Amino acid sequence: MRFYAFTRYNTRLADGQKEGYYKGLKISRLIHVHKFLFVLLCISFLSNATSQNNGIFSGRITDKETSGSLIGANVYLKKDMSLGTVSDFNGYFSLTVPPGTYVFSVSYTGMKTQSFQINVSSDSTTHINMEMIPFSTDFDEIIVRAGKFDKSVENQTVSIEIMSSRLIEVRNTESVETILNMVPGLTILDEEPQIRGGSGFTFGVGSKVAVFIDNLPVTSGDAGKTNWSLIPVENIKQIEVVKGASSVLSGASALSGAIYIRTNYPGIQPETKIKIFGGFNSSPRSPALKWWNGINYNTGASFLHSQQLGNGQTDLVIGGMFSANSSYLGAPVTGPFVVDTVPITDDEMANRKARLNFNLRHRSKKIKGLDFGVNGNIMYHKSSTVFAWLDDTSNFYRAYPGAVLLSNNTTFYLDPFVNFYSGMGIKHEFTSRIMFSNNDANNNQSTQSLFVYNNYQFGKSFKNLGNLDFIIGATNQYTYSYAHLYEASGSPSNYLWNTSVFMEVEKKFGTILNISAGARLENYQINDTIRDSKPIIRVGASLKLGQETYLRASVGQGYRFPTITERYIKTTVGSFGVFDNPELIPETSWNSEIGVKQGFKFVNYYGYFDVALFYQEYSNTIEYLFGFWDSTYSFAIAGFKFVNTGKSKVTGIDISLTGQAKVTDNFTFNTLFGYTYILPVTLQPSYVFAKDYNPGGSKDFSYKTTSVNPSRNILKYRFLHTLKLDIELNYFRFSAGFSLKYFSKMENLDKAIFDFEDATVASGGTTQPILYRKYYETHNNGNVVIDGRIGYKIGIRHKISLISTNMLNKMYSLRPLKAEPMRNISLQYILNL
């Protein structure tokens, strides 16, 4: 709370010259306080000089059927999962622990998790050999664990999809949002995550899906936009996608779901991984024209080094990456009578990104169960963002004049943390983040922001109450932004402060029934003038009906407060405008679902089949709508604005199947399948939420008057059907796979896009015509996108792969006026040391 006290004091800026002084003073004080905390952590780190005589717990993990070594098996203490390691290339592991009696668990993909008790004596080695049993119809405990309580996935009371690191690597994933597009029920549209049709498209601003990496948010505080580039793809352990309202435990931005990304910590053996790749984009299919000379390239490299230091008490991970591409979208080319106010060349469209990150964690010898450390990340990103294409035929892959944002972004953060796990089932977790971002952009759209996040969480397992788990915590989140983009508030300086408290309990009744319930109280304040509070709740249950048959049901509320960007952004991008809306109010939701998860084994093929029916209802829905918002047309003819559009609902069905087949010892294949059907409709089609100033005649702005196809009340910018499929075969050292994504046609969009086309065409050439209606009417029939890959392992340390995205070189668009990439072919090399 001290952080808030002085940051709030300093954000009361005076006008004139005092504004710059207080801006610098406020940032300086915040940084000094967090430096002080960091120094305290370092002193505590160095003060652990005394220790008792520890023992060594070691062993080897093998496959019981083949006797082969299991590489990368997880070994962890059941009461303290921060204490653990992974097996090396020969299946061996080793841990240094104080004398005592312990219960450890061993897990490995495709194997049943096993637990065992050991006694460790001082100055001695306790050795075991563990033979793991392949996954079968016994289905004791699945190895994947997820959620706040770290339970096995079949015991979760909400729908959770798990994405392993295997698929991330084989698809040459440069940024994690591209792999998330393979998750059933999740669509990444223009960097914006959408779960089960919970939102349309907003260029990623004001996301309704919360994204975390190791329980810390990676969304910008001022815009509520996920910074995918910051996520260390080279060190991801697994990704958990939680579907449905998740605001109780994930915070206000988790209106329709949350994404949790977990990273790896070192094993007993040091590990170094290097990846190098290079490729090119194919020439577009007709009628689009190739706009570049030479090769439209993409290239990059990444590295990861992890090892344990100080007799296994300290974990160190260092990673980084660099990538460059010449962009698949070319610069604008203006017509003979059009004047582009911001000339841009093709070379300026190129993208560059460099990132360096580290994780440092120390387990105290003096205080059992205590670990602490700091994570850090620094990134430079030069990028070009295109808001609209030049036209829908020959210049499909060129940008509209003025509709290009060029930015040079530098972001860094430090994450100090302290955790304490007692032998009585008590957990204390404190995590903090201080992040600064400087975005230097054209068109007067530069921003600076400071983001401070603090989270404390207390957890307790009550064994005497029949395995009752309890979590209570509090978060403090402060954002300061300086940008002329947001001067509609009255000043370029704005701040947003959020505090919340939350609680969740979970009780398991025998091995049959698991019940969870939670509550959260959110409080928001923006610029000392706007305040809002909201309590939210959720309940859920999981019931084991039979042999690996699990029924789950849940009901939860969601709440999201508008960001600084949504309220106060006011700018122009070429002929477009982006309009402020200081009257924007928070949106709320509630979500219910019922689902069944069924484990199965058919001959040598085993996996899980999951079906869920869901119902979501939203109030004060915030949409990013295109329209004629200025009656004078002096600021911009037309553009986008965040508005509350009333009530809506989304119902549907979510189906997924994950499985693995072991034909022989050297021949396996993995499958991932998902299908989602949604029916997103407005509940207030005649509700007037704004006034439209169309040149053809002003009228009330409602769903009916602004929709291209209002006949079925379908919400705008949604795909009713999506299908995801990935199949991979592994034969000895050879692997091959392909992925398929299907998006049905877009049923509805803003009618103002067609109106704007008519207005620009009627200008006689002084304004570049923006063309979309013909493309929508002739090409809006759904899209199938196919990716492929082949790979070959050379020994145990080398692997080369040939990877192609959009193999059929399909010319397609998912978001109106935005061309998706043409075919790309890349060669990837991975070295494991």
Side-chain angles (χ1 to χ4, degrees):
M1 293 302 179
R2 291 181 179 177
F3 296 147
Y4 169 61
F6 67 77
T7 52
R8 184 181 178 193
Y9 172 81
N10 283 322
T11 50
R12 295 173 179 171
L13 298 175
D15 50 13
Q17 296 180 347
K18 291 184 180 180
E19 179 178 325
Y21 168 78
Y22 283 117
K23 168 177 173 265
L25 180 62
K26 174 163 50 57
I27 295 178
S28 175
R29 287 182 175 176
L30 277 172
I31 292 175
H32 282 314
V33 168
H34 280 78
K35 282 183 177 179
F36 176 71
L37 288 177
F38 180 68
V39 170
L40 286 180
L41 282 174
C42 292
I43 292 173
S44 179
F45 180 93
L46 295 173
S47 66
N48 286 300
T50 60
S51 65
Q52 55 185 310
N53 295 325
N54 294 327
I56 297 176
F57 166 45
S58 65
R60 190 185 184 201
I61 304 173
T62 59
D63 185 325
K64 185 175 182 179
E65 290 188 356
T66 66
S67 298
S69 301
L70 295 181
I71 304 170
N74 295 290
V75 184
Y76 57 91
L77 186 64
K78 291 201 74 172
K79 290 185 177 181
D80 180 2
M81 293 190 67
S82 70
L83 178 61
T85 185
V86 295
S87 57
D88 62 17
F89 284 107
N90 295 311
Y92 289 102
F93 69 91
S94 179
L95 273 173
T96 301
V97 296
T101 300
Y102 300 90
V103 177
F104 277 89
S105 290
V106 179
S107 65
Y108 187 80
T109 303
M111 302 288 180
K112 292 191 299 181
T113 294
Q114 300 185 43
S115 298
F116 54 89
Q117 180 175 300
I118 64 164
N119 294 308
V120 177
S121 302
S122 61
D123 296 323
S124 65
T125 299
T126 301
H127 186 89
I128 68 164
N129 290 321
M130 176 63 66
E131 293 182 325
M132 301 198 72
I133 302 171
F135 194 68
S136 67
T137 52
D138 292 335
F139 285 106
D140 277 351
E141 182 182 6
I142 192 167
I143 53 89
V144 176
R145 306 177 73 83
K148 284 283 186 180
F149 291 107
D150 208 53
K151 301 290 186 181
S152 55
V153 71
E154 72 271 17
N155 285 322
Q156 299 290 337
T157 59
V158 294
S159 291
I160 297 182
E161 296 286 349
I162 305 296
M163 180 71 68
S164 69
S165 59
R166 174 191 60 82
L167 198 57
I168 296 173
E169 182 176 291
V170 298
R171 287 177 57 89
N172 190 33
T173 304
E174 295 181 54
S175 189
V176 75
E177 77 271 21
T178 58
I179 195 67
L180 286 172
N181 241 338
M182 291 304 303
V183 175
L186 171 64
T187 299
I188 308 294
L189 192 63
D190 240 16
E191 299 188 351
E192 179 187 358
Q194 304 171 0
I195 293 180
R196 292 175 172 174
S199 59
F201 90 90
T202 62
F203 293 108
V205 174
S207 174
K208 296 177 176 64
V209 177
V211 182
F212 299 87
I213 178 166
D214 293 330
N215 292 321
L216 287 166
V218 288
T219 52
S220 61
D222 57 346
K225 183 176 182 179
T226 303
N227 195 338
W228 301 106
S229 300
L230 276 175
I231 299 173
V233 178
E234 64 276 2
N235 190 38
I236 292 178
K237 179 181 180 181
Q238 73 179 36
I239 301 174
E240 305 160 13
V241 179
V242 182
K243 303 175 185 178
S246 305
S247 293
V248 168
L249 282 180
S250 302
S253 58
L255 197 69
S256 59
I259 300 171
Y260 289 91
I261 299 169
R262 299 192 183 196
T263 59
N264 276 306
Y265 275 102
I268 186 63
Q269 294 292 334
E271 178 186 3
T272 301
K273 178 183 292 186
I274 299 172
K275 182 178 79 171
I276 303 172
F277 67 91
F280 63 92
N281 289 319
S282 299
S283 298
R285 294 180 61 175
S286 179
L289 296 178
K290 174 184 173 183
W291 57 264
W292 63 87
N293 296 315
I295 297 175
N296 190 292
Y297 68 91
N298 64 290
T299 185
S302 67
F303 78 94
L304 175 72
H305 177 74
S306 64
Q307 70 177 99
Q308 294 182 352
L309 306 172
N311 296 322
Q313 297 299 124
T314 302
D315 296 326
L316 174 65
V317 178
I318 300 176
M321 63 86 64
F322 169 80
S323 67
N325 65 73
S326 51
S327 178
Y328 72 95
L329 297 173
V333 177
T334 58
F337 303 106
V338 177
V339 178
D340 188 357
T341 57
V342 186
I344 296 174
T345 67
D346 289 336
D347 290 339
E348 290 178 297
M349 299 292 290
N351 299 289
R352 303 286 186 271
K353 180 170 64 176
R355 171 176 45 78
L356 182 67
N357 54 274
F358 71 91
N359 295 355
L360 183 65
R361 179 178 68 175
H362 178 72
R363 288 179 292 275
S364 173
K365 292 182 180 180
K366 187 175 181 180
I367 304 176
K368 182 181 177 182
L370 174 67
D371 70 80
F372 52 89
V374 61
N375 301 331
N377 199 334
I378 183 168
M379 180 191 71
Y380 170 76
H381 191 191
K382 175 186 178 297
S383 63
S384 60
T385 302
V386 175
F387 297 101
W389 59 41
L390 184 57
D391 63 51
D392 55 359
T393 51
S394 60
N395 290 302
F396 189 78
Y397 293 106
R398 276 198 179 274
Y400 187 83
V404 177
L405 179 65
L406 301 179
S407 65
N408 290 278
N409 178 271
T410 302
T411 301
F412 72 86
Y413 65 73
L414 286 176
D415 300 337
F417 63 89
V418 178
N419 301 310
F420 178 72
Y421 306 85
S422 78
M424 301 175 62
I426 295 176
K427 299 181 181 180
H428 297 274
E429 301 177 4
F430 174 78
T431 53
S432 182
R433 165 165 291 177
I434 177 169
M435 180 168 66
F436 177 76
S437 178
N438 180 52
N439 190 51
D440 184 14
N442 65 335
N443 294 339
N444 196 32
Q445 298 191 45
S446 299
T447 62
Q448 289 183 348
S449 66
L450 178 68
F451 176 78
V452 179
Y453 178 86
N454 301 293
N455 179 74
Y456 169 74
Q457 183 172 295
F458 170 84
K460 168 71 174 174
S461 295
F462 297 92
K463 301 299 181 184
N464 57 337
L465 295 179
N467 295 321
L468 174 69
D469 293 319
F470 173 79
I471 286 178
I472 188 170
T475 64
N476 176 61
Q477 183 172 305
Y478 173 82
T479 300
Y480 170 78
S481 173
Y482 183 87
H484 293 286
L485 281 172
Y486 309 140
E487 286 184 321
S489 69
S491 169
S493 297
N494 295 273
Y495 82 87
L496 179 65
W497 182 59
N498 165 232
T499 57
S500 62
V501 292
F502 59 89
M503 179 188 71
E504 180 141 333
V505 294
E506 189 164 304
K507 175 75 168 68
K508 193 166 186 178
F509 297 88
T511 60
I512 303 299
L513 178 63
N514 188 41
I515 295 178
S516 65
R520 190 180 192 102
L521 177 63
E522 292 278 3
N523 179 71
Y524 273 87
Q525 180 174 324
I526 185 169
N527 291 348
D528 283 332
T529 57
I530 302 172
R531 294 175 175 85
D532 191 70
S533 296
K534 177 72 174 179
I536 49 179
I537 60 172
R538 71 165 297 272
V539 293
S542 174
L543 178 65
K544 186 174 182 179
L545 297 177
Q547 181 65 35
E548 288 312 303
T549 302
Y550 299 88
L551 175 69
R552 68 181 179 278
S554 66
V555 177
Q557 293 178 299
Y559 165 83
R560 194 182 74 82
F561 191 84
T563 63
I564 293 173
T565 302
E566 289 172 289
R567 282 182 179 272
Y568 300 127
I569 186 171
K570 188 173 184 180
T571 186
T572 56
V573 183
S575 300
F576 296 97
V578 182
F579 297 80
D580 61 301
N581 185 2
E583 305 302 320
L584 206 62
I585 61 176
E587 56 185 334
T588 59
S589 74
W590 71 273
N591 172 286
S592 63
E593 73 165 3
I594 183 169
V596 176
K597 182 180 289 290
Q598 176 66 59
F600 65 88
K601 182 175 185 290
F602 180 72
V603 190
N604 291 322
Y605 182 72
Y606 55 86
Y608 274 109
F609 179 76
D610 192 284
V611 179
L613 299 173
F614 56 87
Y615 180 99
Q616 303 169 122
E617 192 166 308
Y618 297 86
S619 297
N620 301 320
T621 307
I622 297 176
E623 296 282 350
Y624 197 41
L625 297 184
F626 192 90
F628 296 83
W629 301 107
D630 182 7
S631 60
T632 66
Y633 311 110
S634 58
F635 175 70
I637 297 176
F640 293 91
K641 183 179 181 179
F642 292 96
V643 294
N644 295 106
T645 59
K647 294 183 178 181
S648 61
K649 72 174 182 179
V650 182
T651 56
I653 184 171
D654 212 346
I655 301 172
S656 65
L657 184 150
T658 56
Q660 183 183 72
K662 187 174 182 180
V663 181
T664 68
D665 291 343
N666 298 305
F667 183 23
T668 62
F669 71 90
N670 302 290
T671 60
L672 169 66
F673 169 82
Y675 166 74
T676 304
Y677 168 74
I678 62 171
L679 185 62
V681 297
T682 177
L683 297 178
Q684 297 177 301
S686 300
Y687 170 67
V688 177
F689 51 80
K691 186 76 173 180
D692 179 39
Y693 301 103
N694 192 305
S698 297
K699 56 188 175 183
D700 291 335
F701 219 67
S702 69
Y703 169 85
K704 281 189 175 181
T705 61
T706 62
S707 294
V708 167
N709 181 17
S711 60
R712 296 173 56 196
N713 291 337
I714 301 296
L715 298 177
K716 301 164 186 175
Y717 309 116
R718 267 74 165 187
F719 306 108
L720 303 192
H721 304 268
T722 56
L723 185 147
K724 315 288 180 66
L725 174 66
D726 187 88
I727 296 178
E728 182 181 76
L729 300 124
N730 296 277
Y731 183 69
F732 287 93
R733 297 182 177 181
F734 175 80
S735 64
F738 81 94
S739 301
L740 180 148
K741 299 187 292 289
Y742 168 73
F743 304 92
S744 64
K745 69 177 183 178
M746 188 170 286
E747 298 283 341
N748 194 14
L749 68 153
D750 286 326
K751 183 176 178 293
I753 294 180
F754 292 173
D755 295 335
F756 192 46
E757 176 176 333
D758 295 339
T760 55
V761 170
S763 71
T766 56
T767 301
Q768 185 85 33
I770 186 160
L771 308 176
Y772 184 70
R773 180 189 283 107
K774 183 178 179 181
Y775 180 88
Y776 178 79
E777 293 172 348
T778 58
H779 292 82
N780 187 34
N781 301 311
N783 290 288
V784 176
V785 184
I786 298 175
D787 306 330
R789 60 189 183 270
I790 56 174
Y792 185 78
K793 291 183 178 180
I794 305 173
I796 62 172
R797 302 191 183 278
H798 310 273
K799 182 179 180 180
I800 56 173
S801 302
L802 186 65
I803 302 159
S804 176
T805 57
N806 191 7
M807 289 179 61
L808 302 181
N809 203 19
K810 186 177 181 65
M811 176 179 157
Y812 72 107
S813 171
L814 296 178
R815 189 264 286 171
L817 302 174
K818 171 69 182 296
E820 296 297 326
M822 66 283 284
R823 177 172 53 218
N824 178 271
I825 300 174
S826 296
L827 182 66
Q828 172 184 275
Y829 167 71
I830 296 177
L831 171 65
N832 287 289
L833 298 176

